[in-house]
Amino acid sequence: MHMPTITAFYLAVLALLYVVLSLQVIRLRRMNRAAFGDSGNVALRSAIRAHAHFAEYVPITALMIAFLEASGTSALRVHLLMGALLVARLLHPLGMYAKPNTFWFRIGRTGGVTITIALLMTSALSILSRFAVGGS
């Protein structure tokens, strides 16, 4: 079994992005004196959702890619998958902070989530296909 070192590298970079998203939520909570929820503040709500979307999608996607890497998927493919995840997770917060129906909203939010969902599906189907052909 191959150790998923490529995935680990990208996860370290993604963890730093997660810290930035976390600090943004903390900063806005303090500014708005919002111990819970978003206190009706749009910027805080966007920060909370950008942080939450990251927490919802990155772990399972990265875990599946790590399994693919550990089972022998080529380094190039792992770089492409994890690189796409990084791009998607960088784009998404940009869209969350943009005004609805603007260019950055569509590119960031829609593009980020579309890439993320495509990665989820690609990774899941790649793992399942290994079982379909008798692999483990």
Side-chain angles (χ1 to χ4, degrees):
M1 178 155 101
H2 172 76
M3 291 300 292
T5 55
I6 298 168
T7 303
F9 170 80
Y10 283 95
L11 276 171
V13 175
L14 285 160
L16 296 175
L17 176 56
Y18 192 62
V19 168
V20 171
L21 294 172
S22 299
L23 292 173
Q24 176 70 347
V25 171
I26 292 165
R27 185 183 73 78
L28 289 170
R29 280 193 187 283
R30 285 186 177 167
M31 277 179 49
N32 293 283
R33 298 175 191 215
F36 302 101
D38 60 27
S39 294
N41 183 280
V42 175
L44 178 54
R45 181 178 21 223
S46 293
I48 290 168
R49 290 311 309 152
H51 179 260
H53 285 181
F54 188 104
E56 292 162 359
Y57 288 107
V58 169
I60 191 167
T61 305
L63 183 61
M64 286 191 294
I65 296 169
F67 282 137
L68 289 168
E69 182 180 0
S71 67
T73 296
S74 75
L76 176 61
R77 183 171 170 93
V78 174
H79 278 292
L80 290 172
L81 292 168
M82 287 303 293
L85 181 60
L86 179 59
V87 167
R89 294 295 91 200
L90 286 168
L91 282 175
H92 189 262
L94 294 176
M96 290 298 296
Y97 293 115
K99 291 185 180 193
N101 300 317
T102 62
F103 173 79
W104 284 113
F105 177 85
R106 285 189 292 277
I107 293 297
R109 190 167 180 202
T110 306
V113 77
T114 300
I115 294 167
T116 302
I117 297 296
L119 286 167
L120 266 171
M121 289 176 35
T122 298
S123 300
L125 293 172
S126 293
I127 291 169
L128 290 172
S129 72
R130 290 174 182 255
F131 288 98
V133 295
S136 54

